[in-house]
Amino acid sequence: MTKKKENIFDVNLFKRLFKYTKPYRVVFYGLIVSVLILGALSIATPLLVREIVDQHLVKQDYDGFVNLITIMALLLLATVVFQLLFIYYSSWLGLKMVKDIRVKLFDHMLNFRMKYFNNSSVGVLITRAVTDMERISSVFGDGLFSIIRDLLIMIVVSSAMLYVNWKLALIVFVMLPIILYATKVFQRYMKQAFEDIRNEVSNLNSFVQERVTGMKILQLFTREVTEYKNFPELITRHKNAWLKTVWYNSIFFAILEVLSALTVGTVVYFGGLRVIIDGSVSAGDLFMFITMIPMLFRPLRQIADKFSTLQMGLVAANRVFKILDTTSQIDNSGTIVAKDLKGSISFKDVHFRYVEDEEVLKGISFEVTAGQTVAIVGATGAGKSTVINLLNRFYEINKGEIKIDNTNIKDYTLSSLRQQTAVVLQDVFLFADTILSNITLNHPEITEAQVIQAAKDIGIHDFIMSLPNGYHYNVKERGVMLSSGQRQLISFLRAYVTNPSILILDEATSSVDSYSEQLIQNATDKITKGRTSIVIAHRFATIQKADNIILMDNGQIVEQGTHQELLKKENGYYRNLYEVQFLQSEVA
């Protein structure tokens, strides 16, 4: 029995959500007062109707009739005012809570390690941060307070019925157990239906988000027809989940309407007989009961509806709290602020795996002297990019030690460590914003003048000024208004203006044209001068000037040395790769 109750309404989950009302307790208690006043006002009109019929209509008392009508009008006006305040501030409270939870959720997600995002659907996370949050706001806006108000109205109405005529009240109350049982069954089925809806919404968001993001690939490989065929199946499941709730609502509300009509008819029949036969029931009593029966049954129907809203909000809250309860943050217990680093780097017997039992780095060790340019070369999957992911602490190593300036990177504060490192990735991500904002990322200490000077230093100022609005040109989502080479130049300038102690270029010239590559190469020569730089590349032309070249294969370092030293090794890995790639390109 306990398990079933928890399935219908999770009290602990509600208590946790309730804690977010603490900063707004004045409004919360104000809403409680409004509920009490609305409950009192709800019974005023039926009582006045009873008084009007029995004391003034029957006796044809015009003055008393007008006076009571005036009082009724004033009470109705008061009801409208308090109802307006109740609706506005209950929604206000829900939205304020959602704002606080959403900010907390977003801040929590910002600090997740990359592994979490690798294993999570972007569409699902968007659903949690957007759609589910809207559902949570309804817990208080359309759920809790509305239920309290309706329950109070039912209690007041029931008490008034018993006080006026307990016999007629019993006729009404006979129907209540049937309605309560139907409501309980309805709530149980609706909770499961709402969970199904949330699952299907998440699936739908994930599907659409991935297809829209990857639309170019779909069209290039003519997958439109296939994806079109897959979409109706997903939509059908989503539709069926909603239709299930419609079906449950249709049955439940039809039952309530029938029971309400039967109750009114029964009261009119027996009450009317008493009015005619012995006068034990007055006409005013009968009018009052006819008015109050809908007031008793309608809130019960609304409670079921609002309870469904409350349940949907709690289901959404449960999903959001699961993310908030996820501990997937990089340890940030370091106390040393990384500032003006010289840039010496040391990897000592570093082991790492993304997945259990699949080691990516198998005990690599190397040293980078401050100011050196080191190139890491190897086939795809050799572990090159993993090295820079570990250096920036996007992932935690399983064994070994990584030091910068003879200090373990775990001892640095995470934000200061990353501020001292600039990375230019192969896959450039630009936000739907201006070029200037994409370069500074709204950093308050980087001015437009500094950006312009940096662009001139690396020779891309003219390219930016050739665009409409120059530095204020909006590149749209993911930078679709720019070519891949232009996006790479913007990314390089973004790294350059931060004046990093350590610069990392991860395949930074792999997808640019020769002109853009030359610009980046010139900028690379400028920015790497006197600064520790790690260059990951397939093209040997971009790494020949490196002070040290590290060749990786299958998660291990197989060779190290300068370009000339490695070429002298007979049958060496580097020499073989160089001859295959560089010499053949010369012949071509």
Side-chain angles (χ1 to χ4, degrees), residues 249-314:
N249 275 295
S250 300
I251 295 176
F252 177 70
F253 291 135
I255 291 173
L256 282 185
E257 288 297 330
V258 170
L259 292 176
S260 179
L262 286 174
T263 305
V264 171
T266 305
V267 168
V268 169
Y269 176 75
F270 286 102
L273 288 177
R274 299 279 71 80
V275 172
I276 296 170
I277 295 173
D278 56 16
S280 60
V281 175
S282 70
D285 293 344
L286 193 56
F287 268 96
M288 177 183 166
F289 267 81
I290 294 173
T291 304
M292 287 195 300
I293 288 173
M295 294 179 62
L296 181 64
F297 284 10
R298 190 186 306 116
L300 188 59
R301 182 177 64 187
Q302 290 175 344
I303 286 173
D305 189 35
K306 300 301 181 183
F307 200 92
S308 298
T309 301
L310 181 63
Q311 284 180 321
M312 184 174 279
L314 289 177

Side-chain angles (χ1 to χ4, degrees), residues 148-215:
I148 294 174
R149 178 196 60 191
D150 292 341
L151 283 173
L152 184 60
I153 289 174
M154 289 177 61
I155 292 172
V156 171
V157 168
S158 299
S159 301
M161 284 182 172
L162 286 170
Y163 175 77
V164 172
N165 192 306
W166 66 270
K167 292 181 180 179
L168 291 181
L170 288 180
I171 296 175
V172 177
F173 296 162
V174 165
M175 294 295 184
L176 287 181
I178 302 174
I179 295 175
L180 289 173
Y181 177 76
T183 302
K184 183 178 180 181
V185 173
F186 171 74
Q187 290 165 353
R188 183 178 298 117
Y189 280 98
M190 286 299 285
K191 183 177 188 297
Q192 181 59 51
F194 287 142
E195 288 178 348
D196 293 341
I197 287 173
R198 300 306 329 136
N199 288 330
E200 295 305 328
V201 168
S202 295
N203 293 336
L204 182 60
N205 284 347
S206 297
F207 184 92
V208 173
Q209 188 271 334
E210 288 180 352
R211 272 62 184 180
V212 171
T213 302
M215 188 60 68

Side-chain angles (χ1 to χ4, degrees), residues 443-461:
H443 195 294
E445 296 180 5
I446 302 177
T447 65
E448 183 173 354
Q450 290 175 314
V451 172
I452 293 174
Q453 185 58 51
K456 290 179 178 179
D457 291 343
I458 65 176
I460 68 171
H461 173 70

Side-chain angles (χ1 to χ4, degrees), residues 336-342 405 412 416-417 420 501:
I336 301 174
V337 177
K339 188 176 181 180
D340 299 325
L341 297 177
K342 294 180 180 179
D405 287 3
Y412 290 116
S416 67
L417 173 66
Q420 291 293 306
S501 299

Side-chain angles (χ1 to χ4, degrees), residues 312-542:
M312 184 174 279
L314 289 177
V315 168
N318 186 49
R319 296 175 184 276
V320 170
F321 286 145
K322 281 183 180 179
I323 297 179
L324 286 173
D325 291 338
T326 300
T327 54
S328 185
Q329 286 79 18
I330 293 291
D331 177 32
N332 192 19
S333 58
T335 57
I336 301 174
V337 177
K339 188 176 181 180
D340 299 325
L341 297 177
K342 294 180 180 179
S344 64
I345 301 172
S346 173
F347 274 62
K348 292 184 179 179
D349 192 30
V350 173
H351 293 255
F352 174 75
R353 54 182 175 269
Y354 292 103
V355 182
E356 204 67 34
D357 300 327
E358 293 184 19
E359 200 165 45
V360 177
L361 296 184
K362 304 172 182 179
I364 66 169
S365 300
F366 65 87
E367 302 283 338
V368 180
T369 304
Q372 271 191 332
T373 296
V374 175
I376 303 179
V377 183
T380 301
K384 307 184 299 297
S385 295
T386 300
V387 171
I388 64 172
N389 284 334
L390 297 180
L391 190 61
N392 283 284
R393 293 197 68 200
F394 286 131
Y395 302 89
E396 296 282 26
I397 62 177
N398 301 115
K399 182 183 176 183
E401 187 178 46
I402 302 175
K403 290 184 176 181
I404 296 179
D405 287 3
N406 295 318
T407 300
N408 193 308
I409 59 173
K410 292 184 178 180
D411 295 333
Y412 290 116
T413 61
L414 196 57
S415 60
S416 67
L417 173 66
R418 290 176 178 170
Q419 286 172 0
Q420 291 293 306
T421 307
V423 182
V424 179
L425 299 172
Q426 177 182 1
D427 184 17
V428 179
F429 186 92
L430 297 180
F431 295 92
D433 207 334
T434 63
I435 287 178
L436 180 64
S437 294
N438 271 287
I439 292 170
T440 65
L441 295 178
N442 298 316
H443 195 294
E445 296 180 5
I446 302 177
T447 65
E448 183 173 354
Q450 290 175 314
V451 172
I452 293 174
Q453 185 58 51
K456 290 179 178 179
D457 291 343
I458 65 176
I460 68 171
H461 173 70
D462 292 339
F463 142 65
I464 296 176
M465 292 305 297
S466 68
L467 299 171
N469 298 321
Y471 289 86
H472 298 281
Y473 177 64
N474 194 310
V475 300
K476 305 301 181 183
E477 187 174 1
R478 299 183 67 88
V480 294
M481 302 303 292
L482 302 177
S483 69
S484 58
Q486 290 171 332
R487 290 195 296 270
Q488 196 66 266
L489 289 170
I490 298 301
S491 176
F492 197 90
L493 182 56
R494 179 163 61 192
Y496 180 60
V497 296
T498 61
N499 192 28
S501 299
I502 300 172
L503 175 67
I504 298 173
L505 305 180
D506 186 3
E507 304 287 2
T509 61
S510 62
S511 59
V512 299
D513 53 48
S514 57
Y515 174 72
S516 299
E517 183 178 0
Q518 185 59 48
L519 288 176
I520 291 179
Q521 190 60 55
N522 293 338
T524 301
D525 294 339
K526 181 177 180 61
I527 194 174
T528 57
K529 187 176 181 180
R531 178 182 283 111
T532 303
S533 303
I534 298 177
V535 180
I536 297 175
H538 283 105
R539 296 185 184 183
F540 284 83
T542 63

